[in-house]
Amino acid sequence: MLPGTRKRIYLNRDQKPLVRALAQKEYDRKALRTIRQELSTLDAILEYCETPKLEDVLGQVHEAKQPYIRPIVETDEAFRQRWLEQQYHQNEYGSEQKIYPTERGDLVRSKSEGQQADYLYYHGYAYLYEKRLELKDGSRTIYRYPDFTILDPVTRKEVFFEHFGMADDEGYLAKNAEKLRIYMENGYVLGRDILFTLETRDHPFTLDQFARVLEGRFGPSALISK
């Protein structure tokens, strides 16, 4: 027998109690794995179902009484406002390049980013510009600054958006492919946690492209009015 291989043991019919116990153990192990998978799927579905939510109870109380109440779960709007007002590290590199004003009052690096920021603002998305994100690359801690960090109002999780503006430049494309690799190795999933658009000289950025990416992730009814 080769080193590291297991020796097979065959049971006969006289060992029914042991056979029954082993068979039941295998079944239970597989059933538990399946139950966990089902629960994970149901949790993901329920996040987007129109079911009563504990965080909505405060809104059912007269507004004059609300300031005196400490809710068990804060409302979506309260969470949204607190998230928007957070203090965070913004990318300071090349700050002199931030010369394009947005309707919300930010300064961004390009016209494309300005268009994206205004679209997010006018369509009610809660977003932060160039918020620092801590990641691991092997044993190293590194920092990335996604163009926009967008709040999913349903799950209350952060979604990161990147625009790749020179996708026909091999060096630029390789650099950003490496960036996506690091995101994914940190557990982020493309299309769910990481969104991106790209453009080339022959195919410039359009807001229609941006809108399709956002709607594909958040849906048309996922917004909270600002």
Side-chain angles (χ1 to χ4, degrees):
M1 181 180 297
L2 296 174
T5 60
R6 293 183 178 181
K7 182 179 179 181
R8 290 179 177 272
I9 299 176
Y10 295 92
L11 303 177
N12 58 49
R13 294 181 180 180
D14 296 332
Q15 295 174 291
K16 284 185 179 180
L18 180 57
V19 172
R20 184 178 295 108
L22 291 173
Q24 186 66 44
K25 181 180 179 180
E26 179 183 356
Y27 170 83
D28 291 344
R29 185 177 67 251
K30 292 181 177 180
L32 181 59
R33 183 174 65 234
T34 301
I35 289 170
R36 286 172 174 164
Q37 292 171 342
E38 285 192 74
L39 284 173
S40 177
T41 301
L42 288 171
D43 285 342
I45 293 172
L46 286 173
E47 285 181 336
Y48 291 92
C49 286
E50 293 295 331
T51 56
K53 297 179 181 179
L54 186 58
E55 55 264 36
D56 294 333
V57 174
L58 183 63
Q60 300 170 15
V61 180
H62 193 282
E63 61 181 11
K65 300 177 182 178
Q66 292 179 14
Y68 301 96
I69 296 172
R70 185 171 64 185
I72 298 172
V73 180
E74 64 184 333
T75 65
D76 288 338
E77 183 58 26
F79 182 89
R80 169 191 168 90
Q81 289 302 321
R82 184 166 60 83
W83 185 85
L84 283 169
E85 294 167 2
Q86 68 180 276
Q87 298 295 315
Y88 68 94
H89 292 278
Q90 194 178 83
N91 190 4
E92 296 179 356
Y93 177 77
S95 58
E96 71 281 357
Q97 300 170 3
K98 298 178 182 179
I99 60 174
Y100 297 92
T102 69
E103 291 296 324
R104 198 180 72 170
D106 301 308
L107 289 175
V108 297
R109 299 176 187 273
S110 68
K111 290 182 179 179
S112 293
E113 286 188 346
Q115 290 177 309
Q116 292 158 1
D118 289 345
Y119 186 94
L120 290 169
Y121 178 71
Y122 281 120
H123 288 81
Y125 290 92
Y127 74 88
L128 301 173
Y129 179 63
E130 289 193 342
K131 178 186 176 183
R132 188 173 77 179
L133 175 63
E134 183 176 313
L135 299 169
K136 287 290 185 180
D137 186 12
S139 60
R140 296 188 305 132
T141 297
I142 62 174
Y143 298 102
R144 292 289 182 265
Y145 297 88
D147 295 336
F148 299 100
T149 299
I150 305 169
L151 176 66
D152 183 329
V154 178
T155 64
R156 299 187 177 184
K157 294 178 180 178
E158 293 181 342
V159 178
F160 310 106
F161 173 81
E162 297 271 15
H163 176 66
F164 303 138
M166 298 184 295
D168 46 357
D169 181 286
E170 290 186 6
Y172 178 88
L173 193 59
K175 177 182 176 181
N176 285 289
E178 177 69 4
K179 182 187 292 186
L180 292 177
R181 176 192 67 79
I182 294 172
Y183 278 133
M184 290 187 288
E185 288 189 356
N186 279 265
Y188 297 112
V189 178
L190 289 177
R192 185 191 70 188
D193 310 305
I194 305 293
L195 309 178
F196 67 90
T197 54
L198 48 82
E199 63 178 306
T200 66
R201 293 181 183 88
D202 295 331
H203 299 282
F205 168 78
T206 67
L207 276 179
D208 285 343
Q209 180 192 46
F210 187 53
R212 286 195 299 270
V213 170
L214 292 175
E215 186 167 325
R217 168 59 178 82
F218 296 101
S221 59
L223 307 183
I224 301 174
S225 60
K226 57 182 183 293

